[in-house]
C-alpha cells in the first residue's frame, strides 16, 4: 500500500512509530505526507500525545488483567495437594532427594572463609529447586506436604542408621 493511500490517523501512528515496527524510511515518508496534507507540527504532537496516553492506558490495563489472572491461578494453587502414592517415594527416598541438592554444600563450607572475606556471594540457587518453585507458584499445601515427607523420611532414615550402628554398641 502506498503512503498516500493511508488516512491521517494511520500516518500519525506511522510518523511517531510508537510500536517501533516501521522503518526510518517509512516514518520519514509518513511525516512528509502529513506536511503535504497540511497537518501542523503542534497538532501532530498533541494528537500523538493523546494516542500515546491511550496506548499506555491499554498497556496498564493489560498488565492489571495479567496480574489478576496470575492471582487467580495462585489462589487455585493454594489447595492443590499431592496424591498419597506421590508422597510415598518422597518419604522413602528422602535422603537421596537431599543428597542430590546437598552435593555442593561441602564445597561451600570449605570455601566459606573465602566467601566471607571477599565480595563473592555464596550461591545457593541450585539447592531445593522444587521447594522454591512450589513456594513461588503458591502451592502452599504441596509445599507443606513435600517438606513434611522429606523431613519425616530423613528422620526415619537417620533413626534406622543410628539404631543399626550405635544402639548395638550401647
Amino acid at each position: 500500500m502506498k503512503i498516500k493511500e493511508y488516512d491521517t490517523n494511520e500516518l500519525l501512528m506511522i510518523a511517531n512509530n510508537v510500536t517501533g515496527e516501521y522503518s526510518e524510511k517509512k516514518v520519514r515518508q509518513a511525516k512528509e505526507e502529513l506536511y503535504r496534507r497540511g497537518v501542523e507540527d503542534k497538532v501532530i504532537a498533541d494528537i500523538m500525545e493523546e494516542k500515546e496516553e491511550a496506548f499506555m492506558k491499554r498497556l496498564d490495563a493489560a498488565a492489571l488483567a495479567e496480574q489478576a489472572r496470575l492471582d487467580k491461578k495462585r489462589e487455585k494453587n493454594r489447595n492443590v495437594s499431592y496424591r498419597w502414592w506421590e508422597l510415598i517415594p518422597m518419604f522413602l527416598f528422602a535422603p537421596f532427594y537431599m543428597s542430590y541438592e546437598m552435593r555442593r554444600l561441602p564445597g561451600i563450607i570449605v570455601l566459606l572463609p573465602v566467601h566471607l572475606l571477599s565480595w563473592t556471594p555464596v550461591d545457593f540457587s541450585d539447592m531445593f529447586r522444587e521447594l522454591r518453585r512450589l513456594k513461588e507458584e503458591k502451592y502452599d499445601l504441596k509445599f507443606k506436604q513435600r517438606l513434611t515427607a522429606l523431613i519425616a523420611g530423613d528422620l526415619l532414615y537417620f533413626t534406622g542408621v543410628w539404631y543399626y550402628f550405635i544402639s548395638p554398641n550401647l
Side-chain angles (χ1 to χ4, degrees):
M1 193 168 174
K2 293 183 179 181
I3 204 76
K4 292 179 181 182
E5 296 173 5
Y6 286 102
D7 68 353
T8 305
N9 288 331
E10 290 174 327
L11 286 173
L12 288 169
M13 290 299 289
I14 295 170
N16 285 290
N17 201 10
V18 175
T19 57
E21 63 187 270
Y22 301 108
S23 66
E24 288 183 31
K25 180 180 177 185
K26 191 155 191 164
V27 170
R28 190 176 57 253
Q29 288 175 346
K31 287 181 180 178
E32 289 172 0
E33 181 62 26
L34 285 171
Y35 289 128
R36 274 190 231 129
R37 291 184 185 183
V39 180
E40 297 176 12
D41 289 337
K42 185 177 183 312
V43 174
I44 293 173
D46 290 343
I47 292 171
M48 283 319 297
E49 190 174 305
E50 291 172 8
K51 290 193 179 210
E52 285 178 10
E53 287 176 11
F55 180 71
M56 294 307 287
K57 285 179 183 176
R58 281 197 315 268
L59 280 180
D60 290 342
L64 287 173
E66 179 66 17
Q67 186 63 37
R69 186 189 67 77
L70 285 174
D71 289 344
K72 187 176 179 182
K73 181 182 175 189
R74 288 180 179 151
E75 191 59 38
K76 281 184 186 177
N77 291 348
R78 288 193 189 282
N79 296 321
V80 175
S81 68
Y82 284 112
R83 294 181 177 86
W84 64 271
W85 62 83
E86 293 174 322
L87 290 169
I88 292 173
M90 278 186 251
F91 176 75
L92 294 176
F93 300 112
F96 302 109
Y97 279 93
M98 300 294 283
S99 67
Y100 173 74
E101 295 171 348
M102 299 293 255
R103 67 181 174 193
R104 292 190 55 227
L105 193 60
I108 290 172
I109 292 172
V110 167
L111 295 174
L112 190 60
V114 174
H115 289 295
L116 292 175
L117 296 174
S118 71
W119 292 103
T120 308
V122 180
D123 183 23
F124 291 109
S125 62
D126 287 346
M127 298 176 72
F128 310 112
R129 272 184 259 138
E130 184 64 18
L131 285 172
R132 262 195 209 131
R133 184 188 67 80
L134 290 173
K135 194 68 170 173
E136 287 169 2
E137 294 179 11
K138 302 290 184 198
Y139 284 101
D140 294 340
L141 187 56
K142 271 190 170 185
F143 176 80
K144 291 174 186 174
Q145 286 176 330
R146 186 178 192 94
L147 194 60
T148 303
L150 291 175
I151 290 172
D154 285 336
L155 287 175
L156 178 73
Y157 177 78
F158 290 123
T159 303
V161 168
W162 179 79
Y163 180 75
Y164 182 76
F165 287 111
I166 295 179
S167 104
N169 297 334
L170 292 178

